[in-house]
Amino acid sequence: MGKWGVFYSSVTGNTRQVAEAMARTAGEADLMPVEEIPEDLSSYEVVALGYWLRLGGPDPKMMKYLPKIKNATVILFETHGTDPGSEHAVTAYARAAYLLGEGCDILGTFGCQGKINPALIEKRKNASPDDPHGGAAAMERWKRAENHPNEEDFSAAASFVAQMKRKLELRKKYKEKH
């Protein structure tokens, strides 16, 4: 297995913690925030890019960086305050993928809930009930998110990386035969 680059953008620490769990499982991996990502990524077999959601897509720092990734095998991972598998979370992967530079191959995606920045919760407490970020349903979602990421999420991230490593092995075997 080749070297992995696990790069992330994190404000509250949620995405950083998931990135750390992934890097541990990847084995040989460089782990660093988006601001420190090297320009040349050719030494990495996999480039894992983690971000938190803002306005239904990757946060501004990662949005700015994604177009610079070219000709790489990519994993996208995200943390968010919404429910896992929600339209909001799933659509964010598409928005991130759309921003990637040419020649990228998305190996897989991973996401989990994360604690919401307290300042954002305070700002949204008085949002109207018809606002998707306001009302009782949003407050219930925030409550569910406040205990994430947790050990179960880190374990799921580690399992995901193991699955992606297996997927890479199967791809190599397939290419050798064809």
Side-chain angles (χ1 to χ4, degrees):
M1 279 278 137
K3 188 174 188 178
W4 284 41
V6 182
F7 309 120
Y8 63 90
S9 178
S10 190
V11 172
T12 60
N14 296 332
T15 311
R16 177 187 48 78
Q17 291 175 54
V18 173
E20 290 168 349
M22 288 185 163
R24 280 191 301 273
T25 305
E28 186 181 356
D30 287 338
L31 172 69
M32 62 189 76
V34 66
E35 299 89 353
E36 297 175 18
I37 301 174
E39 217 169 284
D40 180 9
L41 301 174
S42 62
S43 65
Y44 298 109
E45 180 178 29
V46 174
V47 176
L49 302 164
Y51 50 88
W52 49 279
L53 296 191
R54 181 169 183 269
L55 302 174
D59 68 85
K61 287 182 182 179
M62 190 56 78
M63 280 182 76
K64 185 177 177 183
Y65 187 75
L66 288 168
K68 297 176 184 178
I69 307 289
K70 295 184 173 134
N71 303 312
T73 298
V74 173
I75 286 174
L76 299 171
F77 66 99
E78 61 189 31
T79 59
H80 47 76
T82 191
D83 291 318
S86 70
E87 185 273 337
H88 186 71
V90 172
T91 302
Y93 293 123
R95 289 183 174 137
Y98 178 78
L99 292 170
L100 285 168
E102 63 190 35
C104 288
D105 174 34
I106 299 173
L107 185 65
T109 59
F110 176 83
C112 70
Q113 281 187 309
K115 292 176 225 43
I116 300 170
N117 188 329
L120 187 58
I121 289 176
E122 194 57 40
K123 179 179 173 183
R124 291 185 173 164
K125 274 185 179 176
N126 297 320
S128 70
D130 57 330
D131 181 329
H133 299 295
M139 285 191 228
E140 289 172 22
R141 218 175 27 249
W142 303 338
K143 191 80 171 154
R144 288 191 298 274
E146 72 183 18
N147 296 317
H148 294 272
N150 58 28
E151 290 306 317
E152 189 175 303
D153 297 318
F154 302 140
S155 178
S159 293
F160 170 77
V161 169
Q163 290 170 352
M164 294 301 100
K165 289 172 102 174
R166 174 83 173 124
K167 190 173 182 179
L168 285 169
E169 288 175 21
L170 292 173
R171 280 184 172 188
K172 285 178 187 175
K173 286 180 183 178
Y174 178 81
K175 286 180 181 180
E176 289 170 3
K177 290 181 180 181
H178 297 91

